[in-house]
């Protein structure tokens, strides 16, 4: 793996953070310690937010949204790594530029990603009536992906064993908190704000259909050949070999892709390779209790 983008960061190492609570939601200390800057951010009306619980397909949507915005210009979408083209809003890890520093330098319309639960999104986004593309992924695949991500990046606390991490995830004692509260919160808000609510599994099933939904939401009209180009260039196989999308530009002291690739498998149902029968039964029972009052339904879960 080569790092030829920002070579000055080659030796960068990151120390695993502690979790700190913000309104009862655990965050890596590097988010919690910078909360005033996040909270007071001034959104613009044409800002586009991509919101997800971690490991739900954020990078996939970032690539699609950039390709839509650039009318399928693949070269243009390789101008910088995805985390600079569409910055991570609540990112504060020295000596990398913060998400907000990158956003402040962007011309409108600006695009950014966040993992914040709805109740913690700065109020200026709603005052400015900004649009949000929300992507949700089934809990079990999210959990598996999050476990492997914790193994490979020092920006997250130690995951512990698979079964320990499973317990922490079910209790919501992981970075950005409870998956259940996150998806339910955004689901309840989807008709109160301009939110396009999408599912990872739907995009896997029919990327073309979901890309068209995103383009419509972004008020972009795309020619047929451009749509096909976007489908191709945002596919897992193409993105995993694209250094501007696969995070190989990040030094190994921050993300060690020898432990687990950022673009790991990109599949629906990989959880079946991780859960024991009894873990699956416990998880299903707990899931049913957590989701009982919500009309939000995922497939491939129970
Ligand atoms: S992060 O760190 O929260 O921003 O991660 P995020 O991008 O949300 O999630 C990473 C997972 O998404 C998968 N991925 C894709 N799946 C299908 N198609 C495409 N193009 C794609 N791009 C990224 C990625 O492989 C991670 O999932 P797992 O299950 O770990 O492979």
């Amino acid at each position: 793996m080569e790092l030829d983008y920002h070579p000055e960061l080659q030796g960068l190492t990151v120390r695993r953070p502690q979790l700190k609570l913000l309104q009862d939601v655990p965050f890596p200390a590097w988010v919690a310690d910078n909360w005033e800057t996040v909270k007071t951010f001034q959104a613009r009306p044409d800002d586009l937010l991509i919101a997800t619980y971690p490991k739900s397909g954020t990078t996939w949507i970032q690539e699609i949204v950039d390709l839509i915005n650039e009318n399928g210009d693949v070269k243009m979408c390789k101008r910088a790594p995805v985390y600079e083209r569409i910055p991570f809003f609540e990112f504060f890890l020295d000596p990398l530029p913060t998400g907000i520093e990158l956003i402040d330098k962007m011309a409108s319309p600006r695009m950014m990603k966040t993992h914040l639960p709805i109740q913690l999104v700065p109020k200026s986004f709603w005052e400015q009536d900004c649009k949000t593309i929300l992507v949700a992924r089934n809990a079990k695949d999210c959990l598996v992906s999050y476990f492997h991500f914790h193994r490979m990046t020092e920006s997250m606390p130690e995951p512990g064993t698979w079964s320990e991490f499973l317990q922490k995830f079910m209790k919501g004692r992981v970075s950005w908190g409870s998956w259940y509260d996150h998806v339910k919160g955004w689901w309840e808000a989807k008709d109160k704000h301009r939110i396009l609510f999408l599912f990872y599994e739907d995009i896997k099933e029919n990327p073309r259909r979901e890309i068209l939904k995103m383009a419509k939401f972004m008020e972009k009209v795309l020619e047929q050949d451009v749509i096909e180009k976007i489908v191709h260039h945002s596919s897992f196989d193409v993105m995993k070999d694209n250094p501007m999308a696969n995070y190989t530009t990040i030094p190994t002291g921050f993300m060690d892709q020898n432990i687990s690739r950022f673009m790991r498998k990109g599949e629906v149902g990989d959880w079946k390779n991780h859960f024991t029968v009894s873990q699956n039964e416990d998880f299903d029972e707990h899931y049913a209790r957590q989701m009982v009052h919500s009309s939000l339904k995922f497939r491939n879960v129970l």
Side-chain angles (χ1 to χ4, degrees), residues 63-213:
E63 196 63 22
I64 292 172
V65 161
D66 197 31
L67 282 160
I68 293 174
N69 201 42
E70 299 296 342
N71 203 35
D73 184 339
V74 174
K75 201 165 156 237
M76 188 63 184
C77 293
K78 290 187 176 167
R79 66 193 179 279
V82 63
Y83 49 84
E84 290 187 8
R85 285 179 278 137
I86 301 189
F88 183 6
F89 179 57
E90 65 270 24
F91 182 83
F92 296 88
L93 263 179
D94 245 9
L96 295 167
T98 73
I100 291 176
E101 279 166 3
L102 292 172
I103 293 162
D104 281 343
K105 286 189 193 140
M106 290 171 88
S108 290
R110 308 180 299 184
M111 304 174 293
M112 58 202 88
K113 92 165 195 196
T114 183
H115 294 315
L116 292 176
I118 184 107
Q119 73 277 16
L120 289 173
V121 172
K123 62 178 186 334
S124 78
F125 283 99
W126 311 130
E127 286 164 358
Q128 298 295 336
D129 197 22
C130 296
K131 288 185 186 176
T132 305
I133 299 181
L134 185 293
V135 186
R137 185 182 195 183
N138 79 77
K140 291 178 186 173
D141 285 336
C142 234
L143 155 58
V144 167
S145 183
Y146 214 6
F147 173 63
H148 290 294
F149 186 63
H150 275 71
R151 292 173 51 237
M152 63 84 92
T153 181
E154 298 284 322
S155 63
M156 294 286 127
E158 282 285 352
T161 64
W162 158 250
S163 60
E164 285 164 354
F165 190 76
L166 173 71
Q167 291 303 321
K168 284 189 260 191
F169 183 93
M170 285 164 68
K171 291 182 187 135
R173 303 332 279 172
V174 290
S175 304
W176 285 275
S178 154
W179 175 93
Y180 311 91
D181 292 347
H182 197 284
V183 295
K184 284 188 291 186
W186 278 97
W187 180 252
E188 277 157 30
K190 76 177 183 346
D191 301 322
K192 297 181 195 139
H193 302 289
R194 297 200 291 170
I195 297 171
L196 177 67
F197 200 107
L198 301 175
F199 293 91
Y200 179 99
E201 295 73 22
D202 289 347
I203 315 171
K204 276 302 276 190
E205 178 185 73
N206 191 337
R208 194 178 184 284
R209 179 189 64 208
E210 302 302 305
I211 287 168
L212 283 172
K213 279 188 202 167

Side-chain angles (χ1 to χ4, degrees), residues 55-60 113 115 137 145 200 234 264-266:
K55 314 321 284 183
S56 300
T58 329
T59 315
W60 193 8
K113 92 165 195 196
H115 294 315
R137 185 182 195 183
S145 183
Y200 179 99
S234 62
R264 199 183 55 89
K265 283 197 177 172

Side-chain angles (χ1 to χ4, degrees), residues 31-50:
V31 177
D33 292 345
N34 290 287
W35 191 243
E36 269 314 298
T37 313
V38 171
K39 211 172 93 180
T40 53
F41 177 78
Q42 282 308 305
R44 298 180 191 160
D46 54 1
D47 285 346
L48 176 68
L49 203 55
I50 297 171

